[in-house]
Amino acid sequence: MKKTWLLGLGFFSISLGWALYNGFVPFFLNDYLASTALIGFLMTIDNYIALFLQPYIGNRSDRTNTRYGRRMPYLLIGIPSAALFFALIPFHTSLVTLIIFMVCMNLSMAIFRSPTIALMPDITPHSKRTKANGIINFMGGCGAIIALSIGSLLYDIKAFLPFLAVSVIFLIALWIIFNNINENRDAIPYTVTPTAKIDYKMELNPPTVLLLSAIFFWFIAVQGMEALFTLYAVHALGFSKSASAFSLAFFSLSFVLSSIPSGLLGAKYGKKNIILIGIVGLIFIFILLNWAESVFILRTLLLIGGIFWACININAYPFIVATGGEHSYGTRTGLYYLVSSVAAIISPPTLGLLIDFWGFKMLFFAAAGSMLLALACMIKVKDTETSSVSNQKLDD
Protein backbone atom coordinates (compact mmCIF):
# COMPACT_ATOMS: atom_id res chain seq x y z
CA MET A 1 0.00 0.00 0.00
CA LYS A 2 2.94 2.34 0.62
CA LYS A 3 4.06 1.83 -2.98
CA THR A 4 0.49 2.46 -4.15
CA TRP A 5 0.35 5.80 -2.32
CA LEU A 6 3.69 6.76 -3.84
CA LEU A 7 2.54 5.70 -7.31
CA GLY A 8 -0.55 7.82 -6.70
CA LEU A 9 1.69 10.87 -6.98
CA GLY A 10 2.01 10.12 -10.69
CA PHE A 11 -1.75 10.09 -11.12
CA PHE A 12 -1.93 13.15 -8.83
CA SER A 13 0.25 15.12 -11.25
CA ILE A 14 -1.67 13.85 -14.30
CA SER A 15 -5.05 14.83 -12.81
CA LEU A 16 -3.67 18.13 -11.56
CA GLY A 17 -2.50 18.98 -15.04
CA TRP A 18 -5.69 17.95 -16.83
CA ALA A 19 -8.00 19.69 -14.37
CA LEU A 20 -6.09 22.95 -14.75
CA TYR A 21 -5.91 22.46 -18.51
CA ASN A 22 -9.66 21.86 -18.87
CA GLY A 23 -10.51 24.64 -16.43
CA PHE A 24 -8.48 27.51 -17.86
CA VAL A 25 -7.22 26.78 -21.39
CA PRO A 26 -10.77 27.34 -22.81
CA PHE A 27 -10.48 30.95 -21.59
CA PHE A 28 -7.22 31.38 -23.54
CA LEU A 29 -8.90 29.97 -26.64
CA ASN A 30 -11.95 32.17 -26.06
CA ASP A 31 -9.71 35.22 -26.47
CA TYR A 32 -9.25 34.26 -30.13
CA LEU A 33 -12.37 32.24 -30.98
CA ALA A 34 -16.11 32.90 -30.62
CA SER A 35 -17.42 29.43 -31.52
CA THR A 36 -17.97 27.08 -28.59
CA ALA A 37 -17.84 24.14 -31.01
CA LEU A 38 -14.41 25.18 -32.29
CA ILE A 39 -13.11 25.70 -28.75
CA GLY A 40 -14.46 22.26 -27.87
CA PHE A 41 -12.68 20.79 -30.89
CA LEU A 42 -9.32 22.31 -29.94
CA MET A 43 -9.78 21.04 -26.38
CA THR A 44 -9.72 17.50 -27.81
CA ILE A 45 -6.17 17.75 -29.19
CA ASP A 46 -4.93 15.51 -26.38
CA ASN A 47 -7.43 12.85 -27.34
CA TYR A 48 -6.43 12.82 -31.01
CA ILE A 49 -2.86 12.27 -29.89
CA ALA A 50 -3.87 9.65 -27.34
CA LEU A 51 -5.98 7.89 -29.96
CA PHE A 52 -2.87 6.88 -31.90
CA LEU A 53 -0.05 7.11 -29.37
CA GLN A 54 -1.29 5.69 -26.06
CA PRO A 55 -2.29 2.17 -27.24
CA TYR A 56 1.09 1.89 -28.98
CA ILE A 57 3.03 3.10 -25.96
CA GLY A 58 0.99 0.92 -23.59
CA ASN A 59 1.81 -2.17 -25.65
CA ARG A 60 5.38 -1.01 -26.18
CA SER A 61 5.87 -0.70 -22.43
CA ASP A 62 4.64 -4.31 -22.04
CA ARG A 63 7.60 -5.32 -24.25
CA THR A 64 10.19 -2.95 -22.78
CA ASN A 65 13.00 -4.38 -20.66
CA THR A 66 15.54 -1.97 -19.17
CA ARG A 67 17.48 -1.66 -15.93
CA TYR A 68 14.86 0.90 -14.88
CA GLY A 69 11.98 -1.49 -15.61
CA ARG A 70 9.42 -1.49 -18.40
CA ARG A 71 7.32 1.56 -17.42
CA MET A 72 9.79 3.94 -15.77
CA PRO A 73 11.69 4.97 -18.95
CA TYR A 74 8.50 6.50 -20.34
CA LEU A 75 7.98 8.53 -17.16
CA LEU A 76 11.57 9.78 -17.30
CA ILE A 77 11.05 11.08 -20.84
CA GLY A 78 7.43 12.25 -20.74
CA ILE A 79 7.09 14.05 -17.41
CA PRO A 80 9.94 16.60 -17.81
CA SER A 81 8.76 17.40 -21.36
CA ALA A 82 5.17 17.86 -20.16
CA ALA A 83 6.35 20.15 -17.36
CA LEU A 84 8.19 22.38 -19.83
CA PHE A 85 5.36 22.83 -22.32
CA PHE A 86 2.70 23.14 -19.61
CA ALA A 87 4.62 26.08 -18.17
CA LEU A 88 4.78 27.71 -21.62
CA ILE A 89 1.02 27.61 -22.34
CA PRO A 90 0.06 30.88 -20.55
CA PHE A 91 2.97 32.69 -22.27
CA HIS A 92 1.50 32.21 -25.73
CA THR A 93 1.54 35.28 -27.96
CA SER A 94 -1.01 34.19 -30.56
CA LEU A 95 -3.48 31.42 -31.35
CA VAL A 96 -0.72 29.65 -33.31
CA THR A 97 1.77 29.61 -30.42
CA LEU A 98 -1.00 28.57 -28.01
CA ILE A 99 -1.88 25.58 -30.19
CA ILE A 100 1.80 24.65 -30.62
CA PHE A 101 2.33 24.59 -26.83
CA MET A 102 -0.90 22.62 -26.37
CA VAL A 103 0.13 19.99 -28.93
CA CYS A 104 3.64 19.59 -27.48
CA MET A 105 2.28 19.31 -23.94
CA ASN A 106 -0.25 16.71 -24.99
CA LEU A 107 2.35 14.67 -26.87
CA SER A 108 4.47 14.62 -23.72
CA MET A 109 1.53 13.59 -21.53
CA ALA A 110 0.66 10.73 -23.91
CA ILE A 111 4.17 9.30 -23.53
CA PHE A 112 3.86 8.60 -19.80
CA ARG A 113 0.13 8.35 -19.07
CA SER A 114 -0.47 4.67 -19.95
CA PRO A 115 2.81 3.40 -18.43
CA THR A 116 2.10 5.30 -15.21
CA ILE A 117 -1.35 3.74 -14.81
CA ALA A 118 -0.11 0.30 -15.88
CA LEU A 119 2.36 0.35 -13.00
CA MET A 120 -0.55 -0.20 -10.59
CA PRO A 121 -1.45 -3.76 -11.72
CA ASP A 122 2.26 -4.44 -12.17
CA ILE A 123 2.95 -4.03 -8.46
CA THR A 124 -0.50 -4.96 -7.05
CA PRO A 125 -2.07 -8.44 -6.64
CA HIS A 126 -5.44 -8.92 -8.36
CA SER A 127 -7.44 -9.01 -5.10
CA LYS A 128 -6.08 -5.60 -4.05
CA ARG A 129 -6.49 -3.68 -7.29
CA THR A 130 -9.86 -2.02 -6.67
CA LYS A 131 -8.55 -0.72 -3.34
CA ALA A 132 -5.29 0.37 -4.99
CA ASN A 133 -7.20 2.07 -7.80
CA GLY A 134 -9.27 3.86 -5.17
CA ILE A 135 -6.10 5.15 -3.53
CA ILE A 136 -4.60 6.24 -6.85
CA ASN A 137 -7.79 8.03 -7.87
CA PHE A 138 -8.00 9.59 -4.42
CA MET A 139 -4.63 11.14 -5.16
CA GLY A 140 -5.81 12.12 -8.63
CA GLY A 141 -8.92 13.75 -7.20
CA CYS A 142 -6.78 15.70 -4.75
CA GLY A 143 -4.87 16.99 -7.75
CA ALA A 144 -8.07 18.12 -9.47
CA ILE A 145 -9.28 19.89 -6.31
CA ILE A 146 -6.00 21.72 -5.90
CA ALA A 147 -6.03 22.72 -9.57
CA LEU A 148 -9.58 24.09 -9.45
CA SER A 149 -9.46 25.70 -6.00
CA ILE A 150 -5.93 26.89 -5.28
CA GLY A 151 -5.36 27.13 -9.02
CA SER A 152 -8.30 29.52 -9.26
CA LEU A 153 -6.78 31.78 -6.61
CA LEU A 154 -3.41 31.78 -8.38
CA TYR A 155 -5.11 32.44 -11.72
CA ASP A 156 -6.77 35.57 -10.28
CA ILE A 157 -3.33 36.86 -9.26
CA LYS A 158 -1.54 36.03 -12.51
CA ALA A 159 -2.75 33.66 -15.22
CA PHE A 160 0.64 31.97 -15.51
CA LEU A 161 1.09 31.13 -11.81
CA PRO A 162 -0.99 27.91 -11.62
CA PHE A 163 0.70 26.56 -14.76
CA LEU A 164 4.17 27.14 -13.35
CA ALA A 165 3.14 25.56 -10.04
CA VAL A 166 1.85 22.43 -11.80
CA SER A 167 5.07 22.11 -13.79
CA VAL A 168 7.10 22.13 -10.57
CA ILE A 169 4.78 19.49 -9.05
CA PHE A 170 5.30 17.29 -12.14
CA LEU A 171 9.03 17.25 -11.51
CA ILE A 172 8.70 16.68 -7.76
CA ALA A 173 6.33 13.74 -8.35
CA LEU A 174 8.76 12.16 -10.83
CA TRP A 175 11.65 12.51 -8.37
CA ILE A 176 9.66 10.82 -5.57
CA ILE A 177 8.40 7.96 -7.77
CA PHE A 178 11.81 7.30 -9.30
CA ASN A 179 13.51 7.18 -5.92
CA ASN A 180 10.92 4.98 -4.20
CA ILE A 181 9.56 2.53 -6.80
CA ASN A 182 11.98 0.04 -8.31
CA GLU A 183 10.15 -2.03 -10.90
CA ASN A 184 12.71 -4.83 -10.92
CA ARG A 185 12.26 -5.16 -7.15
CA ASP A 186 8.59 -4.27 -6.61
CA ALA A 187 6.78 -5.64 -9.66
CA ILE A 188 5.00 -9.00 -9.65
CA PRO A 189 7.27 -11.36 -11.67
CA TYR A 190 6.58 -11.31 -15.39
CA THR A 191 8.16 -12.52 -18.61
CA VAL A 192 8.94 -9.94 -21.29
CA THR A 193 8.13 -11.00 -24.84
CA PRO A 194 9.82 -8.37 -27.04
CA THR A 195 8.42 -9.72 -30.32
CA ALA A 196 4.81 -9.87 -29.14
CA LYS A 197 2.26 -7.88 -31.12
CA ILE A 198 -1.16 -6.66 -30.10
CA ASP A 199 -3.67 -9.45 -30.77
CA TYR A 200 -6.89 -7.46 -30.83
CA LYS A 201 -8.95 -10.54 -31.68
CA MET A 202 -7.85 -12.15 -28.43
CA GLU A 203 -7.97 -8.98 -26.31
CA LEU A 204 -11.40 -7.81 -27.54
CA ASN A 205 -13.48 -10.63 -26.09
CA PRO A 206 -17.25 -9.98 -25.63
CA PRO A 207 -17.05 -8.73 -22.01
CA THR A 208 -14.23 -6.38 -23.01
CA VAL A 209 -16.11 -4.99 -26.02
CA LEU A 210 -19.26 -4.30 -24.00
CA LEU A 211 -17.28 -2.76 -21.17
CA LEU A 212 -15.30 -0.56 -23.58
CA SER A 213 -18.61 0.55 -25.12
CA ALA A 214 -19.95 1.53 -21.71
CA ILE A 215 -16.70 3.37 -20.96
CA PHE A 216 -17.04 5.22 -24.25
CA PHE A 217 -20.53 6.50 -23.47
CA TRP A 218 -19.89 7.53 -19.87
CA PHE A 219 -16.76 9.42 -20.93
CA ILE A 220 -18.81 11.15 -23.63
CA ALA A 221 -20.98 12.45 -20.79
CA VAL A 222 -18.41 13.32 -18.14
CA GLN A 223 -15.53 14.59 -20.26
CA GLY A 224 -17.87 16.74 -22.32
CA MET A 225 -19.39 18.17 -19.16
CA GLU A 226 -16.00 18.88 -17.59
CA ALA A 227 -14.56 20.47 -20.75
CA LEU A 228 -17.47 22.88 -21.21
CA PHE A 229 -18.75 23.40 -17.65
CA THR A 230 -16.73 26.55 -16.94
CA LEU A 231 -18.12 28.19 -20.10
CA TYR A 232 -21.63 27.05 -19.09
CA ALA A 233 -21.31 28.57 -15.63
CA VAL A 234 -19.98 31.87 -17.00
CA HIS A 235 -22.41 32.35 -19.90
CA ALA A 236 -25.56 30.61 -18.62
CA LEU A 237 -25.39 31.36 -14.90
CA GLY A 238 -23.31 34.53 -14.83
CA PHE A 239 -20.49 33.12 -12.65
CA SER A 240 -17.01 34.62 -12.73
CA LYS A 241 -14.28 32.55 -14.36
CA SER A 242 -12.70 31.64 -11.01
CA ALA A 243 -16.10 30.85 -9.43
CA SER A 244 -17.00 28.54 -12.33
CA ALA A 245 -13.76 26.59 -11.93
CA PHE A 246 -14.21 26.49 -8.15
CA SER A 247 -17.74 25.07 -8.58
CA LEU A 248 -16.39 22.21 -10.67
CA ALA A 249 -14.02 21.47 -7.77
CA PHE A 250 -17.04 20.22 -5.76
CA PHE A 251 -17.42 17.38 -8.27
CA SER A 252 -13.76 16.52 -7.77
CA LEU A 253 -14.00 16.90 -3.98
CA SER A 254 -16.68 14.26 -3.57
CA PHE A 255 -14.87 12.04 -6.08
CA VAL A 256 -11.79 12.20 -3.86
CA LEU A 257 -13.70 11.44 -0.67
CA SER A 258 -15.51 8.54 -2.35
CA SER A 259 -12.54 6.98 -4.18
CA ILE A 260 -11.32 4.57 -1.52
CA PRO A 261 -14.83 3.61 -0.28
CA SER A 262 -15.86 2.94 -3.91
CA GLY A 263 -12.89 0.62 -4.36
CA LEU A 264 -13.74 -1.25 -1.17
CA LEU A 265 -17.40 -1.55 -2.20
CA GLY A 266 -16.36 -2.84 -5.64
CA ALA A 267 -14.16 -5.49 -4.04
CA LYS A 268 -16.95 -6.57 -1.66
CA TYR A 269 -20.07 -6.42 -3.84
CA GLY A 270 -18.63 -6.68 -7.35
CA LYS A 271 -17.31 -3.98 -9.66
CA LYS A 272 -20.25 -4.25 -12.07
CA ASN A 273 -22.86 -3.68 -9.36
CA ILE A 274 -21.16 -0.55 -8.05
CA ILE A 275 -20.64 0.79 -11.58
CA LEU A 276 -24.37 0.36 -12.32
CA ILE A 277 -25.28 2.32 -9.18
CA GLY A 278 -22.97 5.10 -10.30
CA ILE A 279 -24.43 5.26 -13.82
CA VAL A 280 -28.04 5.46 -12.64
CA GLY A 281 -27.10 8.11 -10.08
CA LEU A 282 -25.32 10.31 -12.61
CA ILE A 283 -28.26 10.14 -15.01
CA PHE A 284 -30.48 11.75 -12.37
CA ILE A 285 -27.81 14.28 -11.41
CA PHE A 286 -27.34 15.47 -15.00
CA ILE A 287 -31.09 15.85 -15.46
CA LEU A 288 -31.44 17.87 -12.25
CA LEU A 289 -28.51 20.15 -13.13
CA ASN A 290 -30.63 21.66 -15.90
CA TRP A 291 -32.77 23.35 -13.25
CA ALA A 292 -29.94 24.34 -10.89
CA GLU A 293 -29.64 28.12 -10.98
CA SER A 294 -28.37 28.93 -7.49
CA VAL A 295 -24.78 28.40 -6.45
CA PHE A 296 -25.82 26.23 -3.50
CA ILE A 297 -27.99 23.82 -5.53
CA LEU A 298 -25.48 23.60 -8.37
CA ARG A 299 -22.58 22.78 -6.06
CA THR A 300 -24.67 20.35 -4.01
CA LEU A 301 -25.61 18.39 -7.13
CA LEU A 302 -22.00 18.39 -8.31
CA LEU A 303 -20.97 17.13 -4.88
CA ILE A 304 -23.42 14.22 -5.11
CA GLY A 305 -22.47 13.60 -8.74
CA GLY A 306 -18.83 13.14 -7.80
CA ILE A 307 -19.82 10.25 -5.50
CA PHE A 308 -21.55 8.43 -8.35
CA TRP A 309 -18.64 9.16 -10.70
CA ALA A 310 -16.30 7.53 -8.19
CA CYS A 311 -18.47 4.41 -8.19
CA ILE A 312 -17.97 4.19 -11.95
CA ASN A 313 -14.43 5.36 -12.49
CA ILE A 314 -12.71 3.59 -9.58
CA ASN A 315 -14.02 0.17 -10.60
CA ALA A 316 -13.79 0.51 -14.39
CA TYR A 317 -10.04 0.21 -14.86
CA PRO A 318 -9.57 -2.86 -12.60
CA PHE A 319 -12.56 -4.39 -14.42
CA ILE A 320 -11.01 -3.91 -17.87
CA VAL A 321 -7.65 -5.25 -16.67
CA ALA A 322 -9.34 -8.30 -15.12
CA THR A 323 -10.75 -9.34 -18.51
CA GLY A 324 -7.23 -10.08 -19.83
CA GLY A 325 -3.94 -11.70 -18.86
CA GLU A 326 -1.03 -10.31 -16.86
CA HIS A 327 1.09 -9.76 -19.96
CA SER A 328 -1.46 -7.36 -21.47
CA TYR A 329 -1.80 -4.77 -18.68
CA GLY A 330 -0.13 -2.05 -20.73
CA THR A 331 -2.11 -2.99 -23.83
CA ARG A 332 -5.41 -2.95 -21.94
CA THR A 333 -4.48 0.34 -20.32
CA GLY A 334 -3.89 1.68 -23.81
CA LEU A 335 -7.27 0.35 -24.97
CA TYR A 336 -8.95 1.97 -21.95
CA TYR A 337 -7.45 5.33 -22.83
CA LEU A 338 -8.05 4.78 -26.55
CA VAL A 339 -11.79 4.49 -25.94
CA SER A 340 -11.86 7.38 -23.48
CA SER A 341 -9.88 9.46 -25.97
CA VAL A 342 -12.30 8.71 -28.82
CA ALA A 343 -15.14 9.76 -26.53
CA ALA A 344 -13.34 12.94 -25.56
CA ILE A 345 -12.65 13.73 -29.23
CA ILE A 346 -16.33 13.43 -30.10
CA SER A 347 -17.87 14.87 -26.96
CA PRO A 348 -16.74 18.53 -26.53
CA PRO A 349 -17.20 19.61 -30.17
CA THR A 350 -20.50 17.72 -30.47
CA LEU A 351 -21.87 19.13 -27.23
CA GLY A 352 -20.44 22.51 -28.19
CA LEU A 353 -22.32 22.37 -31.51
CA LEU A 354 -25.56 21.48 -29.69
CA ILE A 355 -24.94 24.46 -27.39
CA ASP A 356 -24.36 26.75 -30.38
CA PHE A 357 -27.76 25.77 -31.81
CA TRP A 358 -29.95 25.23 -28.74
CA GLY A 359 -28.20 26.87 -25.81
CA PHE A 360 -26.18 25.73 -22.80
CA LYS A 361 -29.01 23.64 -21.31
CA MET A 362 -28.22 21.00 -23.95
CA LEU A 363 -24.96 20.25 -22.11
CA PHE A 364 -26.63 18.24 -19.34
CA PHE A 365 -29.44 16.73 -21.44
CA ALA A 366 -26.83 15.30 -23.82
CA ALA A 367 -24.75 14.03 -20.90
CA ALA A 368 -27.76 12.24 -19.39
CA GLY A 369 -28.59 10.63 -22.75
CA SER A 370 -25.06 9.32 -23.14
CA MET A 371 -25.16 7.84 -19.64
CA LEU A 372 -28.34 5.98 -20.58
CA LEU A 373 -26.45 4.33 -23.45
CA ALA A 374 -23.65 3.42 -21.04
CA LEU A 375 -26.24 1.81 -18.76
CA ALA A 376 -27.60 -0.29 -21.65
CA CYS A 377 -24.10 -1.58 -22.46
CA MET A 378 -23.11 -2.20 -18.85
CA ILE A 379 -26.22 -4.26 -18.12
CA LYS A 380 -25.16 -6.68 -20.89
CA VAL A 381 -21.63 -7.20 -19.51
CA LYS A 382 -21.47 -10.75 -18.17
CA ASP A 383 -20.83 -10.58 -14.43
CA THR A 384 -18.05 -13.09 -13.78
CA GLU A 385 -17.38 -11.71 -10.30
CA THR A 386 -20.49 -12.83 -8.44
CA SER A 387 -19.29 -16.34 -7.73
CA SER A 388 -15.78 -15.23 -6.84
CA VAL A 389 -17.11 -12.58 -4.46
CA SER A 390 -19.40 -15.14 -2.83
CA ASN A 391 -16.58 -17.64 -2.52
CA GLN A 392 -14.34 -15.01 -0.99
CA LYS A 393 -17.00 -14.30 1.65
CA LEU A 394 -17.23 -18.01 2.45
CA ASP A 395 -13.46 -18.23 2.71
CA ASP A 396 -13.41 -15.22 5.02
Side-chain angles (χ1 to χ4, degrees):
M1 286 300 102
K2 177 184 176 183
K3 299 297 181 184
T4 301
W5 283 99
L6 291 170
L7 179 58
L9 288 172
F11 200 58
F12 172 86
S13 63
I14 291 172
S15 297
L16 185 71
W18 286 129
L20 195 75
Y21 184 89
N22 288 332
F24 295 110
V25 170
F27 296 135
F28 295 147
L29 292 170
N30 201 210
D31 291 336
Y32 303 102
L33 303 168
S35 170
T36 307
L38 187 53
I39 292 172
F41 171 76
L42 290 174
M43 287 299 293
T44 64
I45 289 175
D46 60 307
N47 299 292
Y48 282 102
I49 293 171
L51 182 65
F52 301 101
L53 196 56
Q54 284 189 180
Y56 168 77
I57 288 181
N59 178 258
R60 182 76 182 179
S61 70
D62 282 339
R63 298 181 286 119
T64 297
N65 187 18
T66 72
R67 65 190 181 98
Y68 298 111
R70 54 178 177 172
R71 318 293 185 192
M72 194 64 69
Y74 299 92
L75 277 69
L76 293 172
I77 295 171
I79 293 179
S81 300
L84 171 63
F85 291 111
F86 203 85
L88 290 175
I89 285 177
F91 294 102
H92 65 274
T93 56
S94 65
L95 179 61
V96 173
T97 57
L98 174 59
I99 292 175
I100 289 173
F101 294 151
M102 289 168 63
V103 169
C104 291
M105 189 277 291
N106 283 295
L107 279 169
S108 302
M109 293 286 281
I111 290 172
F112 73 91
R113 190 175 186 181
S114 289
T116 300
I117 305 305
L119 260 176
M120 186 275 283
D122 279 351
I123 65 174
T124 309
H126 174 78
S127 61
K128 304 293 184 183
R129 283 177 191 157
T130 52
K131 182 178 179 180
N133 202 44
I135 291 172
I136 289 174
N137 279 273
F138 173 83
M139 296 289 289
C142 288
I145 290 173
I146 290 172
L148 295 171
S149 54
I150 297 176
S152 297
L153 297 176
L154 293 175
Y155 184 88
D156 283 341
I157 298 172
K158 289 289 183 180
F160 66 84
L161 286 178
F163 290 85
L164 290 180
V166 167
S167 295
V168 171
I169 292 172
F170 274 7
L171 298 176
I172 293 173
L174 175 61
W175 183 83
I176 293 174
I177 293 170
F178 181 74
N179 283 283
N180 288 277
I181 296 180
N182 184 324
E183 287 189 65
N184 295 323
R185 177 194 66 206
D186 301 324
I188 298 170
Y190 63 91
T191 301
V192 178
T193 52
T195 59
K197 301 295 182 181
I198 302 176
D199 186 350
Y200 285 109
K201 184 176 181 180
M202 180 180 68
E203 297 297 338
L204 297 176
N205 51 55
T208 301
V209 171
L210 285 168
L211 183 54
L212 287 173
S213 299
I215 290 168
F216 171 78
F217 287 119
W218 69 54
F219 273 115
I220 283 277
V222 175
Q223 291 192 356
M225 185 276 290
E226 288 182 332
L228 298 175
F229 177 83
T230 52
L231 293 178
Y232 167 84
V234 168
H235 295 295
L237 302 178
F239 287 16
S240 67
K241 293 178 180 178
S242 59
S244 65
F246 184 70
S247 295
L248 192 57
F250 282 76
F251 189 79
S252 300
L253 173 63
S254 60
F255 177 86
V256 167
L257 297 177
S258 306
S259 293
I260 295 176
S262 294
L264 295 173
L265 288 172
K268 184 174 182 180
Y269 298 107
K271 291 182 275 291
K272 177 181 177 179
N273 294 329
I274 303 303
I275 289 172
L276 287 172
I277 291 172
I279 293 174
V280 173
L282 266 185
I283 290 172
F284 284 104
I285 291 297
F286 285 142
I287 292 173
L288 292 173
L289 278 168
N290 287 288
W291 289 276
E293 297 183 355
S294 71
V295 174
F296 175 77
I297 294 176
L298 179 75
R299 291 177 177 175
T300 299
L301 289 173
L302 288 171
L303 200 67
I304 299 171
I307 297 173
F308 291 124
W309 178 229
C311 291
I312 298 170
N313 201 27
I314 298 305
N315 291 285
Y317 176 67
F319 205 164
I320 201 71
V321 168
T323 58
E326 63 181 9
H327 301 295
S328 65
Y329 294 156
T331 301
R332 287 181 166 274
T333 302
L335 286 171
Y336 177 84
Y337 283 112
L338 169 66
V339 170
S340 64
S341 296
V342 172
I345 287 169
I346 296 171
S347 183
T350 301
L351 268 60
L353 190 62
L354 293 175
I355 290 170
D356 285 343
F357 279 103
W358 289 289
F360 275 99
K361 290 292 185 182
M362 285 302 299
L363 177 63
F364 297 117
F365 281 124
S370 190
M371 292 302 296
L372 278 171
L373 293 174
L375 178 63
C377 293
M378 197 65 206
I379 289 173
K380 295 180 180 179
V381 175
K382 184 178 180 181
D383 189 358
T384 58
E385 294 189 296
T386 304
S387 58
S388 61
V389 171
S390 300
N391 292 334
Q392 183 179 353
K393 290 180 179 179
L394 290 173
D395 293 339
D396 293 341

